[in-house]
Amino acid sequence: MIFPTKSLTRRPRKRFSGDGIVGGALLAIVILAALISPWLPLPDPLTNSLAEMFQPPGTATAGATHWLGTDQLGRDLLSRILSGTRLSLMVVLLAAAIAAVIGTLLGMVAGYVGGWVDATIMRLMDIQLAVPFILLILLVMALFGTTLENIIIIMGVTSWAIYARVARAKTLEIRELEYIEAVRGMGFSTPRILLRHVLPNLATPLIVLLTLDIPRLIVLEASIGFLGMGIQPPTPTLGNLIGEGRSYMLLAQWLVLYPGLVIAALVIGCNLLGDSLLRKTHTRLD
């Protein structure tokens, strides 16, 4: 009797590259600090003290140590950055989720159904991509207000096109596979085929795309806040912290420097992690 033997060669394990580890570490540090900040011994981000305004980083006062200094109203900059990071990330992640859901559903329908449905959705996508995001968002927010809910919805609804393009391209490939033809021949409905058989195959490229698109949304949210059309002070976000601090750059440059470094860390971390996932999964996003 011959017993099967194990192969002497092992398949190399796919590991994250160095840039993926660096990107994940950057994101983990910033996100963890923002999440635990309410339980850290930091001053309240909304409490001002005119006697402590424009204190440089590392200044110790009677109330607390201001590790990143204070702003023009004497508020602790570190606590405001961490609070603003938490709020900005919530806005970005919810907007990304809305964009991914809308874009994926429209892309699947366009790629699977085809015909005039595909043509209509693709023309809508072309129109969406032709209009500058920042101008469209500023116009809509000027009409409907700058509430938190409006910002999330507007950013999500105006960002679906890139997800639709990738979902459509992948669906065009998947619908020609033999098992899709088999379930279609068994009489399964189109919604069931899309949700149970097409959507799981889109998960990997869409997750990779999400990590690469989040930096754009981070910069977009910060740009809106910087222009004064986002969440209004005194509630801090990364964008309006830079917008408030730009008037005092010559007097207190840390008001712009440290929020900008946090935005840079988030964008670089997402890009490094997304590029690493792109190589690891051998995903094509065209």
Side-chain angles (χ1 to χ4, degrees):
M1 181 179 292
I2 300 176
F3 294 95
T5 58
K6 295 182 178 179
S7 175
L8 297 179
T9 60
R10 295 183 178 179
R11 294 181 179 178
R13 295 182 178 179
K14 295 181 179 180
R15 298 181 178 179
F16 281 105
S17 57
D19 54 355
I21 296 174
V22 172
L26 279 175
L27 290 176
I29 292 172
V30 175
I31 293 174
L32 182 61
L35 290 178
I36 66 175
S37 62
W39 295 276
L40 295 177
L42 295 172
D44 185 84
L46 301 180
T47 301
N48 58 6
S49 175
L50 297 181
E52 299 177 0
M53 61 183 185
F54 295 128
Q55 295 295 322
T59 301
T61 61
T65 300
H66 303 290
W67 299 106
L68 298 185
T70 61
D71 64 4
Q72 68 276 10
L73 295 178
R75 298 170 294 194
D76 184 73
L77 184 60
L78 177 57
S79 63
R80 287 182 63 77
I81 288 177
L82 294 177
S83 177
T85 301
R86 191 167 60 251
L87 183 56
S88 293
L89 285 176
M90 182 191 72
V91 171
V92 166
L93 292 178
L94 289 176
I98 293 173
V101 170
I102 296 175
T104 301
L105 291 177
L106 290 177
M108 285 195 304
V109 172
Y112 187 82
V113 177
W116 67 269
V117 175
D118 182 21
T120 301
I121 294 177
M122 288 302 98
R123 297 296 78 74
L124 290 175
M125 185 183 71
D126 292 338
I127 295 173
Q128 177 69 63
L129 293 174
V131 179
F133 285 111
I134 190 69
L135 295 181
L136 179 61
I137 290 175
L138 291 177
L139 174 62
V140 175
M141 294 181 65
L143 294 175
F144 297 100
T146 58
T147 63
L148 179 62
E149 295 80 6
N150 286 346
I151 295 172
I152 294 173
I153 293 173
I154 293 168
M155 287 181 60
V157 170
T158 57
S159 302
W160 62 269
I162 186 172
Y163 297 94
R165 172 180 290 177
V166 172
R168 175 182 178 271
K170 298 299 179 181
T171 303
L172 288 173
E173 299 176 4
I174 295 170
R175 75 175 184 178
E176 303 300 330
L177 299 178
E178 293 182 356
Y179 82 95
I180 296 295
E181 295 181 1
V183 295
R184 191 185 301 126
M186 294 171 63
F188 287 7
S189 64
T190 297
R192 182 175 180 180
I193 295 175
L194 290 177
L195 295 178
R196 297 194 59 180
H197 300 283
V198 176
L199 183 59
N201 290 282
L202 299 177
T204 298
L206 289 176
I207 291 173
V208 174
L209 178 61
L210 191 64
T211 60
L212 294 172
D213 188 51
I214 283 178
R216 181 187 64 83
L217 292 175
I218 291 173
V219 174
L220 181 60
E221 190 276 336
S223 301
I224 295 172
F226 177 81
L227 295 173
M229 297 296 293
I231 299 170
Q232 299 299 306
T235 303
T237 65
L238 294 175
N240 67 28
L241 284 176
I242 296 178
E244 287 184 335
R246 62 178 172 173
S247 301
Y248 310 99
M249 286 182 60
L250 298 179
L251 180 62
Q253 66 275 8
W254 59 84
L255 297 180
V256 175
L257 174 63
Y258 294 119
L261 289 177
V262 173
I263 294 175
L266 290 172
V267 171
I268 293 172
C270 285
N271 281 328
L272 291 177
L273 184 60
D275 290 340
S276 180
L277 286 174
L278 195 64
R279 293 191 301 269
K280 181 180 176 65
T281 58
H282 303 288
T283 302
R284 294 180 58 188
L285 298 179
D286 50 2

